[in-house]
Amino acid sequence: MEVKVNILRKATLRGYTRLILAYLFCLVLLSVYQYVTLYGKGVTDQIFGVSFFLALIHHIGFSSLIALIFVLPYRLLEHVKPRLGIKFIFTILVLLLCVETLLIGYYTVAYVPLGSDILGYSIQSILNIIFKSDIFGMYVAGIFAVLIFTFYTFFKFTGSFYHYISKMFPFTIFLMSLFLMTLFTERKPINDNKTQYLAYNLISTSLDKTDYIAKTEFPLLKENVDKDVLGTYFNLKEEAPNFVFIIVEGLGEDFVGIDAEFGGFTPFIDELTQESLYFDHFLSNTGRTFGVIPSLLGSLPFGKNGFMNLKDIPNKVTLFSVLKNNGYHTNFYMGANSSFNHLDQFLRSENIDVLVDRSKYERIYKLQPADAAGASWGYPDKELYKKAMAVYRPDSIPRLDVFMTLTTHEPFLLPNQGFYDAKVAAILETSNRYEKRTRKLIAKNKAIFSCLLYGDEALRDFMFAYKKKPSYSNTIFVITGDHRLVPIPQNNTLSRFHVPMLFYSPLLKEPKKISAVSSHLDVVPSILAMLSKKYNIKLPKKTSWLGSGLDMHAEFRSAKNIPLMRNKNELNDFIAKECFYSSGNLFSIRKNLVLEELDVDTRNYEVLLNNFKGLNAYVTKENKILPEEYAPYKVEKNKFTSEEIVWINSQFNGRDFDNAYETARQFAFDGQYDKALLLINFILSEVPSHIDAKILKGRVTAWSGAYKEASLILEECLETNPNYDDIYLAMLDIYFWSDTNEKVLFLYERIEDNNIKSKEVGKKVKRSYQIVQKKGKESNTLIVNANIEAYMASEI
């Protein structure tokens, strides 16, 4: 009888090397996918060019490094148990391939590699970019499956020719040589191994020196210098002017003006440049939206992940607080959720009068089309302006109105998409202004340019409507971009920050183009200096502006020191007068912000950047921007005792406020009202616009017997979210519990105005109204009674 014995043998370096080769092969395939995708989008002119082969070299180097790192644990695990090491390394390499796949997916959408900015965003936000903005996200599971299958198949295949590899030089020396080779090869984001880039970026950020030895407690504090550089350009009236800021999502200078590379898709803004104070060498201070409001309206430092993402907002002065303190009515309008990037907390700290965000739109307004996942960012630009004009109320006092648009943001979806796509096609067909590469990029990114056309048209309609208002003749419009559109390839690193800046107004004496370099940080100091000189407005005795005021020199020059934060947690760019220092490289800044690389010692510029990093970290972490006595408004946060904080931390993981809301809701249902209110107050201290938490607070307060207080809470909710059914349900319940059902007669008007069609609301209206009828307290207006009865009949 023949007996077969299966002997489990240790895996040798032969198997280990085959795994590394299979890993390298899959990295090459991922690079092919990246370059094919970029070529298909018109971003690159070829697939298998020099950049592709540089990517192969970097993949070889990274594979060699991975092999060196894991060879020791591989051998140790094989000694512990045969085949354990090979299984462990197989799993590790598969995970690394999945990570590289996701990072390449991100890069083909955002066109920038994911680095230390990952620390400033939630994983969900990053996945949203990958999965919602590109076809890659639709097939990622399939891509993973194919990749793993390919990895395993190639590993098995290499067994047939390994004897050729085994004749090569000693294993470790060979790998070290390959890795060292990559250190002398040009490394760019497009050809870098994305996993290596992420790891290196995270490590360098963690080792980044931001130590700052403060020579004075408030290093930014200075006497308020009111040098007025703007006033001579305006015929200011006796009454202080209104200001309307319009921040257009993604509006880079590359899309504006007759000479713009991608011009022709913002015809109205192009016209405005000829009728305005137009700054054509202007810079946003951040490469993403998170920083535009603090920089443009506050001239504030960045913090680690953006000023608005600071856990505790430091004392500060902004245009909002100064103008409000001088009798202005302050308003902010947007179509998205104001809780994004904690904007609502920032605005609340400035005590603004009106905040209109996504939650404040009635049903007559149409949301932006949903993306592939069924989610909508909010309301497109035309709906934003319509809503603002609908809530606009003439006032005897001056106004500050700030608009933030969203249509020109991923996923680039807009109403009547086909109409604007056809307009893009017509422009391409009839225009001779575009070079071959530019034409290809526009054709491959038609949705983006359709959004630009739509956004420009929306702005035109808004301006025409505003001109009909009496206040128009005394209004200054400030129009700019938050940063340049990311998905369209940029000419250089500085292009990301290059945005137009327009001061347009009937008060303007004459249009003029200003070509000196300034940034968003310089706007507030100049506006307040103009107002201070003309109207003697009250300013804090001392200020801490990061900017020094607008450079009004007509000819091109770069004479300022300007910090630039590319992404959250990535403060690696700094303008030092005529030079631009970026991630260790130094460039000379030429006209049109063309960069010329300099081969000089960069240590002095590195010191400048590091000094700013230290200053930025110190003033934001330690609340040393401004002494409390100079801040017009103090940031009021709910005070929690040490014991309460410990309990809150035991119930809440610090990330998912919706989950915290569900926990508070359960406490309320269980009758533990004190615990529910404590957790609700904590949620609202961190996310003041969390409407469900506010409604729950009103209900819990009513359950505790404080009906009057509960009504006030819900009435405030109704003012901010008039089209949300749950508020009406809660208010009707409180009327019923407190036996004040007659209030339904007044609430009904809001229900009718906001077109509330909920059957549950209808049932509760009927309940309250029938009680009112029994008491003989129905309205003395027959029309109201008839309308309520008709409403109940139609809904039940």
Side-chain angles (χ1 to χ4, degrees), residues 423-434 439:
K423 291 186 74 171
V424 172
I427 291 172
L428 281 176
E429 185 177 345
T430 57
S431 177
N432 297 318
R433 65 181 292 172
Y434 308 113
R439 183 177 293 276

Side-chain angles (χ1 to χ4, degrees), residues 442-553:
I442 294 170
K444 293 291 184 180
N445 295 277
K446 190 180 295 182
I448 295 175
F449 292 91
S450 295
C451 287
L452 282 169
L453 284 171
Y454 170 88
D456 183 76
E457 190 175 281
L459 178 60
R460 181 202 65 190
D461 294 347
F462 168 70
M463 294 293 286
F464 286 168
Y466 204 100
K467 285 181 179 180
K468 298 175 183 178
K469 297 191 174 297
S471 59
Y472 170 75
S473 62
N474 194 30
T475 299
I476 297 174
F477 296 87
V478 183
I479 303 170
T480 188
D482 56 347
H483 56 80
R484 183 193 183 277
L485 271 166
V486 175
I488 302 299
Q490 56 198 35
N491 292 320
N492 57 51
T493 308
L494 198 52
S495 297
R496 179 73 170 269
F497 307 98
H498 191 188
V499 296
M501 170 59 72
L502 289 75
F503 286 80
Y504 170 79
S505 176
L507 301 171
L508 190 66
K509 293 178 180 177
E510 61 180 3
K512 185 175 181 180
K513 185 165 76 171
I514 308 293
S515 291
V517 176
S518 295
S519 78
H520 282 158
L521 293 172
D522 299 310
V523 173
V524 166
S526 294
I527 286 178
L528 290 180
M530 176 178 71
L531 295 178
S532 176
K533 183 175 181 180
K534 173 68 177 178
Y535 303 103
N536 295 318
I537 67 170
K538 296 180 292 183
L539 294 177
K541 293 180 181 178
K542 294 189 177 183
T543 59
S544 53
W545 312 124
L546 209 55
S548 56
L550 296 165
D551 187 342
M552 305 302 293
H553 200 69

Side-chain angles (χ1 to χ4, degrees), residues 19-162:
L19 279 176
I20 296 299
L21 288 173
Y23 174 65
L24 173 59
F25 178 74
C26 289
L27 288 180
V28 173
L29 291 181
L30 286 173
S31 272
V32 172
Y33 166 80
Q34 173 188 288
Y35 280 90
V36 167
T37 301
L38 295 177
Y39 178 77
K41 290 184 173 183
V43 177
T44 58
D45 296 327
Q46 55 184 338
I47 298 173
F48 301 110
V50 174
S51 180
F52 177 82
F53 291 104
L54 286 174
L56 299 191
I57 292 174
H58 291 306
H59 285 322
I60 291 171
F62 186 67
S63 300
S64 304
L65 178 62
I66 292 298
L68 289 170
I69 290 173
F70 287 104
V71 67
L72 183 59
Y74 166 78
R75 296 303 296 270
L76 290 174
L77 290 171
E78 284 297 327
H79 281 292
V80 171
K81 183 180 178 180
R83 314 301 295 179
L84 181 60
I86 201 82
K87 293 177 181 177
F88 171 75
I89 298 303
F90 185 93
T91 304
I92 291 294
L93 295 181
V94 165
L95 290 174
L96 286 173
L97 284 174
C98 290
V99 169
E100 182 73 10
T101 303
L102 290 174
L103 293 175
I104 284 178
Y106 181 92
Y107 183 78
T108 58
V109 174
Y111 300 141
V112 290
L114 192 60
S116 57
D117 50 320
I118 193 175
L119 302 175
Y121 294 97
S122 67
I123 296 298
Q124 188 60 48
S125 297
I126 295 166
L127 293 179
N128 283 345
I129 293 175
I130 297 172
F131 295 145
K132 292 187 178 182
S133 304
D134 197 87
I135 195 170
F136 172 87
M138 299 170 61
Y139 304 108
V140 67
I143 292 173
F144 283 161
V146 170
L147 198 65
I148 295 169
F149 174 77
T150 304
F151 176 63
Y152 178 75
T153 302
F154 191 84
F155 167 66
K156 300 297 286 185
F157 173 70
T158 54
S160 61
F161 62 86
Y162 180 79

